[in-house]
């Protein structure tokens, strides 16, 4: 079974596919063609209209049989919203998508970043690629509910002048002959509330952003999910009476971050014992080069601090976490930067650049996500698959090579590490290779997992 991250995708077996989202949620689906727009009422599957050609909803489970979808359908988007329309998703447990094939065999699981004020979440999509079908994890939220969702799927929205206490209806659409359709929904205030003065009671954010400003770095914001992970890790270190990336329970600080619902494209941490107050902690971090570099790093956009007193040694154990959240755009930019740096190295050696191959990219991304989710690091998967096995699906390459790495915090760092290793360098500079795919995932014991797949 694959553990997916936002943007992760994998091929689906033939036959029907079942997706289930247990918990206090309403599951629905939108069926679209290549335009990404609905055609009519029959393209909505929800509690009041639980079936359409090739799709059937029963309680929290949606069954999709791709070959039986209406003619022209190329995509089914799985949507979740609170069963109680007045409850933001952020007040509920994180929705978890379970995907099974025919016979009930588990295929994949996806836990998106924990929503906040969003009231609707695009959880995943089943889409056609060539003669087959694939699943892509999304995790895209809408704070303005079904109205915002409807706009993106080609529905004109008319908002009433005054709010109504009634729950939002599912969008309705005209038959295919009509270009667009209309949704009536109550208007609502969408502006996020200002941060509470008590959100940073120790003044950590002010101290940090002052130091970052002096270094020319942008300010960071506090993140509740990072704070939860920081508290958990500081407590684990205090219990053990020692500092460490991995706690006595065998869980790394990075696994605590992803378990809290925060997925990241880059991450950093300070694990310290001794300081008695946040000002002392920040001063300590600014005194040493590596810690100062992390605190000043302009790549980070969010941070959190936690400390626990009274461990076995009587010391205070501190955990500060720094991250930039993972987004589909951020993942694409990270992969593109790895490709660019790789091609620069090839250009220096007088070699032609590698072209990005979608099939290699899919395989590389799935493997990085798998290593992070199942906490292993090897060219051989726990099931025994090799790089050429993973690249075979959808790829016409005759020769395959693979580089993997873990723990590096940036594309520059990972490419430099590969170039400093003779075996990895040989793959990057292999004259016969013509194509490349890049994968990245955060989490696991090492924090980051990188995959380069080469093909010719």
């Amino acid at each position: 079974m694959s553990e997916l991250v936002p943007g992760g995708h994998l091929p689906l077996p033939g036959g029907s596919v079942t997706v289930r989202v247990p918990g206090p949620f309403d599951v629905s689906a939108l069926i679209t063609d290549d335009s990404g727009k609905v055609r009519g009422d029959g393209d909505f599957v929800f509690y009041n209209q639980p079936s359409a050609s090739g799709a059937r909803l029963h309680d929290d489970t949606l069954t999709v049989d791709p070959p039986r979808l209406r003619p022209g359908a190329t995509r089914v988007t799985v949507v979740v919203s609170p069963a109680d329309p007045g409850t933001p998703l952020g007040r509920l447990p994180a929705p978890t998508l379970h995907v099974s094939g025919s016979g009930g065999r588990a295929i994949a699981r996806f836990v998106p970043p924990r929503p906040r004020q969003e009231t609707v979440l695009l959880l995943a999509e089943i889409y056609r690629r060539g003669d087959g079908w694939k699943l892509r994890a999304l995790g895209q939220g809408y704070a303005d509910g079904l109205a915002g969702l409807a706009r993106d799927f080609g529905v004109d929205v008319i908002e009433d002048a005054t709010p109504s206490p009634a729950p939002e209806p599912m969008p309705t659409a005209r038959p295919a002959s009509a270009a667009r359709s209309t949704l009536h929904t109550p208007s609502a205030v969408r502006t996020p509330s200002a941060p509470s003065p008590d959100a940073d009671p120790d003044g950590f954010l002010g101290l940090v952003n002052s130091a970052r400003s002096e270094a020319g770095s942008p300010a960071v914001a506090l993140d509740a999910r990072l704070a939860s992970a920081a508290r958990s890790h500081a407590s684990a270190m205090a219990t053990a009476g020692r500092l460490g990336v991995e706690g006595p329970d065998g869980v790394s600080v990075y696994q605590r971050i992803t378990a809290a619902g925060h997925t990241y494209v880059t991450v950093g941490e300070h694990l310290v014992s001794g300081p008695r107050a946040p000002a002392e902690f920040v001063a300590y971090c600014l005194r040493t080069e590596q810690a100062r570099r992390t605190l000043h790093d302009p790549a980070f956009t969010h941070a959190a601090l936690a400390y626990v007193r009274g461990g076995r040694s009587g010391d205070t154990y501190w955990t500060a976490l720094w991250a930039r959240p993972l987004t589909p755009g951020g993942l694409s930019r990270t992969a593109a930067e790895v490709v660019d740096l790789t091609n620069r190295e090839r250009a220096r050696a007088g070699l032609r650049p590698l072209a990005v191959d979608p099939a290699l990219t899919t395989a590389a991304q799935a493997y990085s996500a798998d290593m992070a989710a199942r906490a292993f690091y090897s060219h051989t998967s726990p099931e025994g698959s090799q790089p050429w096995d993973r690249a075979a699906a959808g790829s016409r390459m005759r020769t395959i090579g693979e580089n993997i790495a873990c723990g590096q915090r940036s594309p520059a760092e990972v490419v430099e590490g590969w170039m400093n290793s003779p075996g990895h360098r040989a793959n990057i500079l292999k004259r016969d290779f013509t194509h490349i795919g890049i994968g990245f995932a955060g989490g696991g014991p090492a924090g980051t997992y990188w995959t380069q797949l080469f093909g010719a």
Side-chain angles (χ1 to χ4, degrees):
M1 183 181 71
S2 297
E3 291 278 351
L4 297 178
V5 297
H9 44 132
L10 78 166
L12 293 172
S16 62
V17 176
T18 298
V19 296
R20 177 172 174 261
V21 186
F25 306 106
D26 280 335
V27 179
S28 52
L30 298 109
I31 301 168
T32 58
D33 50 27
D34 287 335
S35 71
K37 308 300 181 184
V38 298
R39 284 189 179 181
D41 287 342
D43 282 349
F44 295 109
V45 178
F46 63 110
Y47 53 87
N48 279 339
Q49 184 172 279
S51 63
S53 296
R56 184 177 70 258
L57 178 66
H58 179 68
D59 294 333
D60 59 3
T61 301
L62 175 74
T63 302
V64 179
D65 190 355
R68 295 181 178 275
L69 292 170
R70 65 159 172 81
T74 58
R75 192 176 307 266
V76 178
T77 303
V78 181
V79 181
V80 294
S81 55
D84 175 7
T87 303
L89 285 168
R91 296 182 187 173
L92 302 176
T96 301
L97 179 76
H98 300 269
V99 185
S100 303
S102 57
R105 184 178 65 86
I107 298 173
R109 191 176 82 106
F110 173 52
V111 183
R114 188 174 182 83
R116 293 190 177 181
Q117 297 304 313
E118 293 91 339
T119 54
V120 174
L121 190 68
L122 303 189
L123 203 53
E125 60 185 9
I126 296 168
Y127 65 100
R128 189 171 67 195
R129 179 59 58 87
D131 294 330
W133 290 79
K134 293 188 173 184
L135 172 78
R136 178 184 288 118
L138 297 175
Q140 178 186 352
Y142 287 80
D144 47 356
L146 292 172
L149 172 69
R151 290 187 185 98
D152 277 8
F153 282 82
V155 180
D156 288 327
V157 177
I158 301 175
E159 293 190 345
D160 298 332
T162 58
S164 165
E168 289 181 301
M170 263 312 273
T172 57
R174 297 192 185 102
S177 58
R180 301 179 72 84
S181 52
T182 302
L183 167 71
H184 290 268
T185 181
S187 59
V189 177
R190 318 291 186 206
T191 307
S193 58
S196 164
D198 298 328
D200 183 27
D202 296 310
F204 169 70
L205 194 63
L207 293 166
V208 163
N209 282 334
S210 175
R212 288 174 66 87
S213 177
E214 290 179 8
S217 297
V220 292
L222 293 176
D223 185 277
R225 294 164 294 182
L226 290 178
S228 174
R231 283 192 298 271
S232 177
H233 199 71
S235 178
M237 292 192 300
T239 299
R242 59 178 174 82
L243 300 174
V245 169
E246 186 176 288
D249 53 3
V251 180
S252 76
V253 67
Y254 315 114
Q255 289 169 306
R256 298 187 203 280
I257 294 172
T258 55
H262 186 103
T263 55
Y264 52 80
V265 72
T266 187
V267 68
E269 74 284 338
H270 289 122
L271 309 176
V272 178
S273 66
R276 294 164 295 179
E280 287 187 21
F281 171 82
V282 172
Y284 169 84
C285 292
L286 291 172
R287 282 199 299 269
T288 57
E289 182 180 356
Q290 184 173 352
R292 183 170 60 249
R293 190 182 305 123
T294 297
L295 191 148
H296 286 161
D297 194 332
F300 297 133
T301 58
H302 291 78
L305 176 72
Y307 56 94
V308 175
R309 295 189 176 96
R312 293 178 182 176
S313 64
D315 289 336
T316 301
Y317 288 83
W318 300 77
T319 299
L321 298 177
W322 313 81
R324 174 184 289 272
L326 177 70
T327 63
L331 181 61
S332 298
R333 286 190 295 273
T334 297
E337 191 171 346
V338 174
V339 173
D340 179 62
L341 292 168
T342 299
N343 281 333
R344 289 186 196 180
E345 296 295 344
R346 289 178 64 86
R348 292 189 184 100
L351 302 173
R352 65 180 181 271
L354 302 172
V356 174
D357 179 78
L360 293 178
T361 299
T362 297
Q365 180 60 37
Y367 198 59
S368 284
D370 194 25
M371 288 191 291
R374 295 202 284 172
F376 74 93
Y377 178 66
S378 171
H379 288 288
T380 304
S381 78
E383 290 77 28
S385 71
Q386 301 291 331
W388 40 90
D389 300 319
R390 296 188 288 273
S395 175
R396 297 186 298 273
M397 304 296 165
R398 293 170 295 175
T399 304
I400 295 294
E402 181 179 78
N403 286 343
I404 59 175
C406 64
Q408 294 81 5
R409 304 301 172 86
S410 69
E413 187 178 340
V414 74
V415 173
E416 180 183 5
W418 280 327
M419 289 300 293
N420 289 335
S421 166
H424 297 96
R425 179 186 177 93
N427 270 342
I428 289 175
L429 300 182
K430 186 176 177 67
R431 184 176 298 274
D432 294 342
F433 285 144
T434 57
H435 291 79
I436 191 173
I438 304 298
F440 168 83
T448 57
Y449 292 80
W450 307 79
T451 302
Q452 278 184 319
L453 268 180
F454 304 90

